[in-house]
Amino acid sequence: LQMRGFCLFVCIFALICALLKGCWISVINPSHWEICGFRIHGQNVPFEAVVLDKSTGEGVIRAKDKLDCELQKEHTFTIQAYDCGEGPDGSNMKKSHKATVHIQVNDVNEYSPVFKEKSYKATVIEGKKYDSILKVEAVDADCSFQFSQICSYEIVTPDVPFTIDKDGNIKNTEKLNYSKEHLYKLTLTAYDCGKNRASEDVLVKINIKPTCKPSWQGFNKRIEYEPGTGSLALFPSMHLETCEEPITSIQASIMLETNHIGKGCDRDTYSEKSLHKLCGASAGTVELLPAPGNSANWTVGLPTDNGHDSDQVFEFNGTQAIKVPEGVVSTTLKEPFTISVWMRHGPGGREKETILCNSDKTEMNRHHYSLYVHNCRLVLLLRQEPTESENYKPAEFHWKLDQVCDKEWHHYVLNIEFPAVTLFVDGATFEPFLVTEDYPLHASKIETQLTIGGCWQGGSARMTQYFRGNLAGLMIRSGKLENKKVIDCLYTCKEGLDVQLPEEVASAVKVEFNPNQSSLSLEGDDIESFEKVMQHISYLNSRQFPTPGIRHLRVSTTVKCFNEETCISVPDSEGYVMVLQPEEPKISLSGIDHFARGAAEFESTEGVTLFPELRIVSTITREVEVEAETEAEGEDDPTVQETVVSEEIMHNLDTCEVTVVGDELNGDHESLEVDLAQIQQRALEMSSSNVGMVITGVNTMVNYEQVLHLIRYRNWHTEALFDRKFKLVCSELNGRYISNEFKVEVNVIHTANPMDHANNAMVQPQFINQVQHASMDLSGHNLANTHQASVVPSAATVVIVVCVSFLVFMIILGVFRIRAAHQHTMRDQENGKENEMDWDDSALTITVNPMETYEDQHSSEEEGDEEEEESEDGEEEDDITSAESDSSEDEGGEQEDQQGSTRQQQLEWDDSTY
């Protein structure tokens, strides 16, 4: 009974010790034996039992080390007491029975919550409210229920439309909008029930996905085009979003809007006559609306776009018209003939608006032929000339066309081969819907007047039927019809859409272009093949200097689905192509700009060449970034610098004009001439007037150089002419790029009469001095042009030269006389020193002896001419030695002796020292 009570006491005591982390143990010894110790049974028990009082058996259980609830929350082991035994050696030691001890470790909130993931991501669709977008979860390493539980979560990021509950579920508080925000980034934290915050916050990314809308994806709205780079892909990464709707077929049209560029699109801006020639039209074409100039001044008063960046167009405001001078077009057109014009016309009025009219000049108001617009109809009036038969004949041809009044540019060509008339509009053929007949005109001797933009009423001497709109390229070609190939060439744009179909999809998608390639249509049933074709559509501008600006782009798409009721609708995609400004060329003219020629050359049949060494060079300048390395403290420091780089380019010219500076040419005794055969050989044209000469035609700069080298100036009455000045200007693209003004001054050398100027032994030679102009080093191309000029002798200059020559002669004569007086003393000193005393007579180009007879003077002139030629051949020698001069004089003396010439008074030259 006592042992049972003892065991019960030990158990209760162990429970108390577990709470106190150290227990007192007391063992009752009924026989008053002493308790010597306690023994704990178990593996790796982190406790020990110590006796406090042997007589009473009191002891304590304590931990060997610090306990960790997270490693082991409870400990269970057995304990046994033993006495000290009998005798000094402790024999017959008695042990108690074993008692079980249970110890529970209390927790301390030492750990903070930790999220299971480093970050969280989710994607939601706009316009919806979610109960739970995603769930985050954190854990706590504490062992107790109180400290290991996560009691709350919190969104740290302020002002976001999201909330989170205690279980970690995130939801939105309002409908999300993709256009407002594409991505939300939230920072979250967690708390355990002991109010410990998470050691690290967690990042949550929520992507907002727009509501699925069928559309083209991967389409850049702005596409930049660099001139001269060829084709540029417009949709390289484009694909169609169908929202998983099954598609049976798809159609798309791509529109490139170029109506605001030039005459409907980007075309070469040469003159219409040059364009006809480039397209292969035969000769005989007359341009009725040329660019204003000296040779065509009847269009000066019309408003134009100045021919820059786009075509030369003329505006008619309904109050003005122009008269074409006589002789430009034949009054009686030979059949067949062609009329072509570019026209942009707005809403039509009730009154007739005349484009071209040929009517009586005086007395009457008869219209012989005219082209006009009336109620959005294009009408050609063609009255037949008087004939023997007075029968009705076709006289008016009517076409009803939408193009006439749509305010867009269109190209009209009328091929007239009476009684048949064919109209081409933008390359397409149209037949007249109405033809009216009339009697031929009555015979009359009244002259006719050709007008543009209105019709001349000869009876009242005034203009009527004014045109409102824009015209350009009005041409008449008599004697031959324009063929379809030329018409298509004139209308074809230099820019447009292009597509290179991959072989694997060429048969799967049908592609069609409109005539000017400003739009194309696609049709297919396989989306993947369709997308590949779209990705190969490109923009191309073949002009060397395209018109810069915006070209709007639109993609319209139609799809068909298996279920027609739920078939998707694809909205149009819009963007634009930005054609960048091309590098503008600088056209430079250089050569000899000042020279003199004898009067005889001006009067000869060949005349004087004005531009013998003319050179035409064109350059472009651009800024580039280059890396420059500079050494600083022993280290290379690369820096980026901007430098100007220029390079020479080749392109065509279309006009070079030579203009007289000063008085106009007098056709009675002067003219500008050129070899017409050479002009025609290079497919150029020439026109001349009393103000100069104009060479036109699209050709290379080299060919223009060669032709300009052939231009000659003649004057067969030069008695009162001392100089003439001319100006040369060349241009490209109908005046879009213009060269510098190259001015040439030509002086006339009049030969003086030897009897009137006895002191002038030699005629002044023709000479040219080179003047070096400022040069500019352009990226390795030295474009310095050595312009040559001349010092031109006039009458006053000749007199001055004669006087100076006579003075020099007298000085030399005095010097030689002094030297003759001292010749005996000088001879001994000068032996062996032939080269010590050299006379610098390089500036003496004329030697005059006033005591010579006319014959001697004549021989001296010939002798002087020979010396001048030798001097010109040896320009690199700076000085002529006295010995060489004496030798030349001796030879001349011998020649004079052989010729038997005599002198009234002969000078003796002391050449003993030479």
Coordinates of all heavy atoms in Angstrom, one line a residue, residues 169-203:
N169 N -7.8 34.9 -50.2 CA -8.4 35.1 -51.5 C -8.5 36.5 -51.9 O -9.0 37.4 -51.2 CB -9.8 34.5 -51.4 CG -9.8 33.0 -51.2 OD1 -9.2 32.3 -51.9 ND2 -10.6 32.6 -50.1
I170 N -8.0 36.8 -53.1 CA -7.9 38.2 -53.7 C -9.1 38.3 -54.7 O -9.3 37.4 -55.5 CB -6.6 38.5 -54.4 CG1 -5.5 38.4 -53.4 CG2 -6.6 39.9 -55.0 CD1 -4.1 38.5 -54.0
K171 N -9.8 39.4 -54.6 CA -10.9 39.7 -55.5 C -10.9 41.2 -55.9 O -10.3 42.0 -55.1 CB -12.2 39.2 -55.0 CG -12.7 39.9 -53.7 CD -14.0 39.3 -53.3 CE -14.5 40.1 -52.0 NZ -15.8 39.5 -51.6
N172 N -11.5 41.5 -57.0 CA -11.6 42.9 -57.4 C -12.8 43.6 -56.8 O -13.9 42.9 -56.7 CB -11.5 43.1 -58.9 CG -12.6 42.3 -59.6 OD1 -12.8 41.1 -59.3 ND2 -13.2 42.9 -60.6
T173 N -12.7 44.9 -56.5 CA -13.8 45.6 -55.9 C -14.6 46.3 -56.9 O -15.7 46.9 -56.6 CB -13.3 46.6 -54.9 OG1 -12.3 47.5 -55.5 CG2 -12.6 45.9 -53.7
E174 N -14.1 46.4 -58.2 CA -14.8 47.0 -59.3 C -14.4 46.4 -60.6 O -13.5 45.6 -60.7 CB -14.5 48.5 -59.3 CG -13.0 48.8 -59.6 CD -12.7 50.3 -59.5 OE1 -13.2 51.0 -58.6 OE2 -11.9 50.8 -60.4
K175 N -15.2 46.7 -61.6 CA -14.9 46.1 -62.9 C -13.6 46.7 -63.5 O -13.5 48.0 -63.4 CB -16.1 46.3 -63.9 CG -17.3 45.6 -63.5 CD -18.4 45.8 -64.5 CE -19.7 45.0 -64.2 NZ -20.8 45.2 -65.2
L176 N -12.8 45.9 -64.0 CA -11.5 46.4 -64.5 C -11.6 46.8 -65.9 O -12.4 46.2 -66.7 CB -10.4 45.3 -64.3 CG -10.3 44.8 -62.8 CD1 -9.2 43.6 -62.8 CD2 -9.8 45.9 -61.9
N177 N -10.7 47.7 -66.3 CA -10.8 48.3 -67.7 C -9.4 48.2 -68.3 O -8.4 48.7 -67.7 CB -11.2 49.7 -67.7 CG -11.5 50.3 -69.1 OD1 -11.0 49.8 -70.0 ND2 -12.4 51.3 -69.1
Y178 N -9.3 47.4 -69.4 CA -8.0 47.2 -70.0 C -7.4 48.6 -70.5 O -6.2 48.8 -70.5 CB -8.1 46.2 -71.2 CG -6.8 46.0 -72.0 CD1 -5.8 45.2 -71.5 CD2 -6.6 46.7 -73.2 CE1 -4.7 45.0 -72.2 CE2 -5.5 46.5 -73.9 CZ -4.5 45.7 -73.4 OH -3.3 45.5 -74.1
S179 N -8.2 49.4 -71.0 CA -7.7 50.7 -71.6 C -7.2 51.6 -70.5 O -6.3 52.5 -70.7 CB -8.8 51.4 -72.3 OG -9.9 51.7 -71.5
K180 N -7.6 51.4 -69.2 CA -7.2 52.2 -68.1 C -5.9 51.6 -67.5 O -5.0 52.4 -67.2 CB -8.3 52.2 -67.0 CG -7.9 53.1 -65.8 CD -9.0 53.1 -64.8 CE -8.7 53.9 -63.6 NZ -9.8 53.9 -62.6
E181 N -5.8 50.3 -67.4 CA -4.6 49.7 -66.8 C -4.5 48.3 -67.4 O -5.4 47.5 -67.4 CB -4.7 49.7 -65.3 CG -3.4 49.3 -64.6 CD -2.4 50.3 -64.7 OE1 -2.7 51.5 -64.5 OE2 -1.2 50.0 -65.0
H182 N -3.2 48.0 -67.9 CA -3.0 46.7 -68.4 C -2.5 45.7 -67.3 O -2.8 44.5 -67.4 CB -1.9 46.7 -69.5 CG -2.3 47.5 -70.7 ND1 -3.6 48.1 -70.8 CD2 -1.7 47.9 -71.8 CE1 -3.7 48.7 -72.0 NE2 -2.5 48.6 -72.6
L183 N -1.8 46.2 -66.3 CA -1.2 45.3 -65.3 C -1.2 46.0 -63.9 O -0.9 47.2 -63.8 CB 0.2 45.0 -65.7 CG 1.1 44.3 -64.7 CD1 0.6 42.8 -64.5 CD2 2.6 44.2 -65.2
Y184 N -1.6 45.3 -62.9 CA -1.6 45.7 -61.6 C -0.5 44.9 -60.8 O -0.4 43.7 -60.9 CB -3.0 45.5 -60.9 CG -4.0 46.5 -61.3 CD1 -4.9 46.1 -62.3 CD2 -4.2 47.7 -60.7 CE1 -5.9 47.0 -62.8 CE2 -5.2 48.6 -61.1 CZ -6.0 48.2 -62.2 OH -7.0 49.1 -62.6
K185 N 0.2 45.6 -60.0 CA 1.3 45.0 -59.1 C 0.9 45.3 -57.7 O 0.9 46.5 -57.3 CB 2.6 45.5 -59.5 CG 3.1 45.2 -60.9 CD 4.5 45.7 -61.1 CE 5.0 45.3 -62.5 NZ 6.4 45.8 -62.8
L186 N 0.6 44.2 -56.9 CA 0.2 44.4 -55.5 C 1.2 43.8 -54.6 O 1.9 42.8 -54.9 CB -1.1 43.6 -55.3 CG -2.3 43.9 -56.3 CD1 -3.5 43.0 -55.9 CD2 -2.6 45.3 -56.3
T187 N 1.4 44.5 -53.4 CA 2.3 44.0 -52.4 C 1.5 43.5 -51.2 O 0.6 44.3 -50.7 CB 3.3 45.1 -51.9 OG1 4.0 45.5 -53.1 CG2 4.2 44.5 -50.9
L188 N 1.6 42.2 -50.8 CA 0.8 41.6 -49.7 C 1.7 41.2 -48.5 O 2.9 40.9 -48.7 CB 0.1 40.4 -50.2 CG -1.3 40.6 -50.9 CD1 -1.1 41.4 -52.2 CD2 -1.9 39.2 -51.2
T189 N 1.1 41.2 -47.4 CA 1.8 40.7 -46.2 C 0.8 39.9 -45.4 O -0.4 39.8 -45.7 CB 2.3 41.8 -45.3 OG1 3.1 41.3 -44.3 CG2 1.2 42.7 -44.7
A190 N 1.3 39.1 -44.3 CA 0.4 38.2 -43.5 C 0.8 38.4 -42.1 O 1.9 38.8 -41.7 CB 0.6 36.8 -44.0
Y191 N -0.2 38.1 -41.2 CA 0.0 38.1 -39.7 C -0.5 36.8 -39.1 O -1.5 36.3 -39.5 CB -0.8 39.3 -39.1 CG -0.4 40.7 -39.5 CD1 -0.9 41.3 -40.7 CD2 0.6 41.4 -38.8 CE1 -0.5 42.5 -41.1 CE2 1.0 42.6 -39.2 CZ 0.5 43.2 -40.3 OH 0.9 44.5 -40.7
D192 N 0.4 36.3 -38.1 CA -0.1 35.2 -37.3 C -1.0 35.7 -36.2 O -1.2 36.9 -36.0 CB 1.1 34.3 -36.9 CG 2.0 35.1 -35.9 OD1 1.6 36.1 -35.4 OD2 3.2 34.6 -35.8
C193 N -1.5 34.7 -35.4 CA -2.4 35.1 -34.3 C -1.7 35.7 -33.2 O -2.3 36.3 -32.3 CB -3.2 33.8 -33.8 SG -4.3 33.1 -35.1
G194 N -0.4 35.7 -33.2 CA 0.4 36.4 -32.2 C 0.8 37.8 -32.7 O 1.6 38.5 -32.0
K195 N 0.2 38.3 -33.8 CA 0.4 39.6 -34.4 C 1.8 39.8 -35.0 O 2.2 40.9 -35.2 CB 0.1 40.7 -33.3 CG -1.3 40.7 -32.7 CD -2.3 40.9 -33.8 CE -3.7 40.9 -33.2 NZ -4.8 41.0 -34.2
N196 N 2.5 38.7 -35.2 CA 3.8 38.8 -35.9 C 3.5 39.0 -37.4 O 2.7 38.2 -38.0 CB 4.6 37.6 -35.7 CG 5.6 37.8 -34.5 OD1 5.5 38.7 -33.8 ND2 6.5 36.8 -34.3
R197 N 4.2 40.0 -38.0 CA 4.0 40.2 -39.5 C 5.0 39.3 -40.3 O 6.1 38.9 -39.8 CB 4.3 41.7 -39.8 CG 4.2 42.0 -41.2 CD 4.3 43.5 -41.5 NE 4.3 43.9 -42.9 CZ 4.2 45.1 -43.4 NH1 4.1 46.1 -42.5 NH2 4.2 45.3 -44.7
A198 N 4.6 39.0 -41.5 CA 5.5 38.2 -42.4 C 6.9 38.8 -42.5 O 7.0 40.0 -42.5 CB 4.8 38.0 -43.7
S199 N 7.8 37.9 -42.5 CA 9.2 38.4 -42.6 C 9.5 39.2 -43.9 O 10.2 40.1 -44.0 CB 10.2 37.2 -42.5 OG 9.9 36.3 -43.5
E200 N 8.8 38.7 -45.0 CA 9.0 39.4 -46.3 C 7.6 39.5 -47.0 O 6.8 38.5 -47.0 CB 9.9 38.6 -47.2 CG 11.4 38.7 -46.8 CD 12.3 38.0 -47.8 OE1 11.8 37.5 -48.9 OE2 13.5 37.9 -47.5
D201 N 7.3 40.6 -47.6 CA 6.1 40.8 -48.3 C 6.2 40.1 -49.7 O 7.3 39.7 -50.1 CB 5.8 42.3 -48.6 CG 5.6 43.0 -47.3 OD1 5.3 42.4 -46.3 OD2 5.7 44.3 -47.3
V202 N 5.1 39.8 -50.3 CA 5.1 39.1 -51.5 C 4.4 40.0 -52.6 O 3.6 40.8 -52.3 CB 4.3 37.8 -51.4 CG1 2.8 38.0 -51.2 CG2 4.5 36.8 -52.6
L203 N 4.9 39.8 -53.9 CA 4.4 40.5 -55.0 C 3.4 39.7 -55.8 O 3.7 38.6 -56.1 CB 5.6 40.9 -55.9 CG 5.2 41.7 -57.2 CD1 4.6 43.1 -56.9 CD2 6.4 41.8 -58.1

